[in-house]
Amino acid sequence: MNSRTALEGTTVAFDGLSAPRRRYLLSVLYDRQEPTSLETLATEVAVREHASPIVTDEQVRTAHIELVHNHVPRLLEAELLVEEPATDGTQRIALAGRSLFDTDWVTFLLENPTGGQDWDEQRVNRTLETLGPARRREICRILARHPDGFAVADLAAILVAHSEETRLVDVDESARAPVETQLVHDDLPALENAGLVAYDRADGAASIETDAALWRAEWLAEGPLADVCSLLRGDRLEKDGVDEESESVDGSLSAGACRTLEGTETVVAKSCEIADNAEEELVVTVPDTGLLGRRCLERWRAAADRGVDVYVGSRSPRVRDTVRSAVPEATICEPQCDWLNFPAGRINHGHVVFADRERVLLVTRADEPSAPAGTAAITGDGSENALVRLVREHVGPRLDRLQSRCADELPDAESTPLPL
């Protein structure tokens, strides 16, 4: 089964299970494992719906009407049910022979159609309905990998890049805008209502609800969002900031691994180390003066003195003036985009240290510059490192254009900063 077929099957399963009567119907057929008449099914569905072994004729009649005119045709069309021929003219149906019914999460819900004793059935209904569209499941995956969240416009661009299997830098406004509208008016409000995503309408940003109890639901943890549940439940443990799966036997990082750093001192030390080892080119973007200390300026000055081409970009005039004074040989520029090529006017361009296009440090920080615990970074080393390759792919062409312009214009220290 290819990934597209599996995705379509998962979406069909969510739709089939999202309505409680459909779920009860599938559960009855799962238990019986034989073709069953609609009359018998209506009675058993009513029994489960009302949680009582004795139901009224009216309750059975209501269930029968709903099955005949709504749920059974829908499940037959989705090929989750099949109609068995009968010589006596009685319509009998059974579960279709699909591998979908053998998956752990579907089996769990067929055996526990109310979601289990620890869960409110209404919440299970709402969650199944909300996660039916494949796009919403993808939103949860993206946000789970980035707990700080994204601006809605950036989330839309990422979704387009994934669906079209293209580079993020190649996503244009015409492709992004409709998806952003869909997020704002449909997907994010629905995910927020289900308690899965936090949506800040004022800031135009969304993030995963990391502490939502639903991420601990057994059926969700065994289903198509098992990777999200695993991330949010802390199953992927880190040791000294290194993913265990990325660490080699001798304790060093494997060639494609990335390291996570925590704390201001650790991040600054790594930034200085990268600058010290730069041989030909050192590129730094600095959004503000929070991490712009004397130690960093001295390392950039030392790199320039030994012949390294140093480029420092910032949208802060204060930062640019400070660097001009401390590192006169550096080329000062003003980032027009962040390292993913999103316009810097819409989101912060970020703090990046990039040396020789082989070593990189991406810094994230708390809102309060004085909060060391909120300072973190991810770093990669080596030309084939995944993070290095990603940054090189997005930033490299911009650096080439900047270098060409520097060669043509030879700006002096007091000139307007070159665009990056």
Side-chain angles (χ1 to χ4, degrees):
M1 180 184 295
N2 61 40
S3 58
R4 183 172 296 276
T5 301
L7 180 65
E8 292 172 351
T10 299
T11 299
V12 167
F14 269 102
D15 180 70
L17 294 166
S18 61
R21 278 202 178 113
R22 286 201 294 277
R23 203 159 62 245
Y24 294 140
L25 172 60
L26 293 170
S27 178
V28 170
L29 289 169
Y30 179 79
D31 288 343
R32 296 179 70 93
Q33 292 293 313
E34 64 180 5
T36 306
S37 69
L38 282 174
E39 289 74 15
T40 300
L41 289 170
T43 300
E44 295 205 28
V45 166
V47 166
R48 299 196 182 200
E49 182 178 3
H50 296 283
S52 171
I54 301 176
V55 290
T56 67
D57 291 342
E58 182 62 28
Q59 289 169 337
V60 173
R61 187 181 305 111
T62 299
H64 187 270
I65 292 172
E66 280 288 311
L67 294 181
V68 170
H69 295 288
N70 183 3
H71 303 304
V72 169
R74 187 165 180 165
L75 292 171
L76 287 170
E77 183 179 0
E79 298 182 343
L80 292 177
L81 296 182
V82 292
E83 189 173 2
E84 298 290 338
T87 57
D88 60 0
T90 301
Q91 184 182 20
R92 288 181 171 83
I93 57 174
L95 290 182
R98 295 187 62 163
S99 59
L100 185 66
F101 293 117
D102 296 325
T103 57
D104 290 340
W105 74 282
V106 172
T107 298
F108 180 89
L109 287 173
L110 294 180
E111 295 175 347
N112 305 272
T114 62
Q117 60 180 3
D118 296 330
W119 297 98
D120 174 67
E121 184 178 7
Q122 293 302 317
R123 176 181 281 191
V124 174
N125 296 340
R126 184 168 60 247
T127 304
L128 285 165
E129 183 178 1
T130 300
L131 293 175
R135 181 180 57 259
R136 294 180 185 171
R137 301 195 296 274
E138 184 64 16
I139 290 168
C140 290
R141 290 191 182 91
I142 293 169
L143 294 179
R145 298 187 187 105
H146 302 84
D148 292 335
F150 282 108
V152 176
D154 302 336
L155 178 59
I158 294 170
L159 287 168
V160 173
H162 285 190
S163 65
E164 296 184 357
E165 298 182 351
T166 187
R167 299 184 309 166
L168 196 57
V169 69
D170 293 330
V171 176
D172 58 27
E173 183 73 11
S174 63
R176 181 194 60 76
V179 176
E180 182 178 357
T181 300
Q182 180 80 11
L183 289 174
V184 168
H185 296 290
D186 185 9
D187 297 321
L188 292 178
L191 289 166
E192 180 187 40
N193 185 53
L196 300 172
V197 163
Y199 175 34
D200 189 329
R201 291 165 175 77
D203 290 344
S207 60
I208 200 77
E209 285 283 13
T210 56
D211 296 327
L214 273 169
W215 298 123
R216 297 189 293 276
E218 183 176 348
W219 67 269
L220 201 56
E222 293 178 346
L225 288 178
D227 52 343
V228 174
C229 295
S230 178
L231 282 171
L232 299 180
R233 291 167 68 183
D235 290 344
R236 289 179 58 185
L237 300 177
E238 291 187 351
K239 179 180 180 182
D240 296 330
V242 183
D243 289 344
E244 291 180 350
E245 63 196 37
S246 300
E247 194 169 6
S248 59
V249 175
D250 63 0
S252 61
L253 286 176
S254 59
C258 300
R259 181 185 293 274
T260 299
L261 306 177
E262 298 286 348
T264 300
E265 178 58 33
T266 303
V267 170
V268 171
K270 183 62 178 180
S271 174
C272 291
E273 177 190 323
I274 292 176
D276 289 342
N277 291 320
E279 297 179 355
E280 297 180 0
E281 177 186 82
L282 176 65
V283 182
V284 186
T285 62
V286 189
D288 54 45
T289 59
L291 292 177
L292 186 65
R294 180 178 56 83
R295 185 162 41 147
C296 292
L297 292 169
E298 290 176 348
R299 302 305 175 88
W300 302 346
R301 174 67 179 266
D305 288 345
R306 64 175 183 268
V308 175
D309 293 330
V310 178
Y311 303 88
V312 180
S314 180
R315 295 181 69 84
S316 165
R318 181 179 177 186
V319 169
R320 295 197 297 264
D321 291 343
T322 300
V323 175
R324 281 195 187 98
S325 176
V327 192
E329 298 87 351
T331 299
I332 309 301
C333 45
E334 183 174 4
Q336 306 301 301
C337 303
D338 72 342
W339 70 273
L340 280 173
N341 291 336
F342 288 124
R346 188 171 70 238
I347 58 176
N348 191 301
H349 61 69
H351 189 139
V352 180
V353 182
F354 194 31
D356 298 326
R357 309 195 190 191
E358 292 187 348
R359 290 176 296 281
V360 67
L361 180 80
L362 301 181
V363 179
T364 59
R365 296 182 48 215
D367 291 336
E368 301 82 3
S370 60
T375 304
I378 183 171
T379 182
D381 192 352
S383 60
E384 297 305 311
N385 178 271
L387 182 62
V388 171
R389 291 172 61 186
L390 183 63
V391 175
R392 185 169 62 234
E393 177 181 342
H394 286 81
V395 178
R398 290 161 56 191
L399 290 176
D400 293 338
R401 290 193 295 271
L402 175 65
Q403 291 168 349
S404 175
R405 185 165 181 176
C406 287
D408 293 340
E409 298 186 12
L410 297 175
D412 59 51
E414 301 300 323
S415 69
T416 301
L418 294 173
L420 172 60

